[in-house]
């Protein structure tokens, strides 16, 4: 089983960006924990971080046939991007949305996610554990769809 892990804008700055909100772990730290979890679950990860909305849309569009599921932190595009929402809807690959912070407990403009409604579900507010929980969620969901196989 192959999972595409997409990280959006400014997540490359984790570790020195708003540590009070996002914690002190870098994206590399988070992804190495996630890779360990993937090995435990017996799944393969392809990890991409980009600040570019179009690149995220393109990667989602290319996921069908290559990836079984998507784990995505769309970062600020969560709240603005009709293009990402449409891509998630069109690609036909199940996705789980994750956020380090609890977006519902922050500024009002972060409460709305345009993308979550085109995902299986959203996990928000558990720091780096949001990624671990999100990976478990997408893998369990995909395995349930396959009747427990794979
Ligand atoms: C975020 C929350 C977003 O509102 C913000 O723009 C981010 C990070 C999170 O993981 O908590 O860049 O997606």
């Amino acid at each position: 089983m192959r999972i595409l892990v997409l990280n959006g804008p400014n997540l490359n700055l984790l570790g020195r960006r708003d540590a009070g909100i996002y914690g002190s772990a870098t994206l590399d730290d988070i992804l190495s924990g996630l890779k360990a979890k993937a090995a435990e679950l017996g799944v393969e990860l392809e990890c991409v971080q980009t600040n570019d909305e179009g690149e995220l849309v393109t990667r989602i569009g290319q996921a069908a046939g290559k990836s079984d599921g998507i784990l995505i932190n769309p970062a600020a595009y969560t709240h603005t991007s009709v293009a990402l929402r449409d891509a998630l809807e069109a690609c036909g690959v199940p996705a789980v949305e994750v956020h380090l912070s609890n977006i519902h407990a922050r500024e009002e403009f972060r409460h709305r996610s345009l993308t979550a409604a085109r995902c299986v579900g959203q996990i928000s507010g558990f720091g780096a554990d949001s990624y671990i929980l999100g990976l478990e969620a997408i893998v369990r969901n995909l395995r349930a769809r396959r009747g427990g196989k794979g």
Side-chain angles (χ1 to χ4, degrees):
M1 187 180 282
R2 296 162 66 93
I3 307 295
L4 176 63
V5 180
L6 293 175
N7 276 289
N10 300 309
L11 295 172
N12 55 314
L13 301 178
L14 288 174
R16 53 199 166 94
R17 174 191 177 202
D18 291 330
I21 294 173
Y22 298 120
S24 55
T26 64
L27 187 58
D28 278 351
D29 296 336
I30 292 171
L31 293 179
S32 51
L34 195 64
K35 283 172 192 160
K37 186 63 179 181
E40 210 179 275
L41 293 169
V43 301
E44 274 175 57
L45 301 185
E46 182 190 357
C47 300
V48 176
Q49 188 279 326
T50 174
N51 295 324
D52 189 87
E53 184 179 10
E55 174 73 11
L56 289 168
V57 170
T58 299
R59 295 287 187 150
I60 293 167
Q62 292 169 342
K66 268 178 68 188
S67 305
D68 300 292
I70 299 173
L71 184 68
I72 183 167
N73 184 347
Y77 295 139
T78 306
H79 318 296
T80 61
S81 181
V82 175
L84 273 186
R85 178 190 175 107
D86 287 351
L88 287 164
E89 181 166 12
C91 76
V93 177
V96 166
E97 176 172 316
V98 297
H99 298 283
L100 294 153
S101 62
N102 180 353
I103 58 172
H104 305 286
R106 298 184 61 195
E107 303 97 321
E108 204 167 334
F109 66 85
R110 294 186 203 274
H111 295 182
R112 185 179 68 155
S113 169
L114 292 183
T115 42
R118 295 298 172 262
C119 294
V120 179
Q122 181 198 67
I123 295 170
S124 176
F126 297 94
D129 281 347
S130 290
Y131 285 77
I132 303 282
L133 295 168
L135 182 63
E136 281 182 341
I138 189 65
V139 170
R140 285 171 72 125
N141 182 270
L142 291 168
R143 287 186 173 152
R145 286 167 198 258
R146 293 177 177 188
K149 285 174 235 122

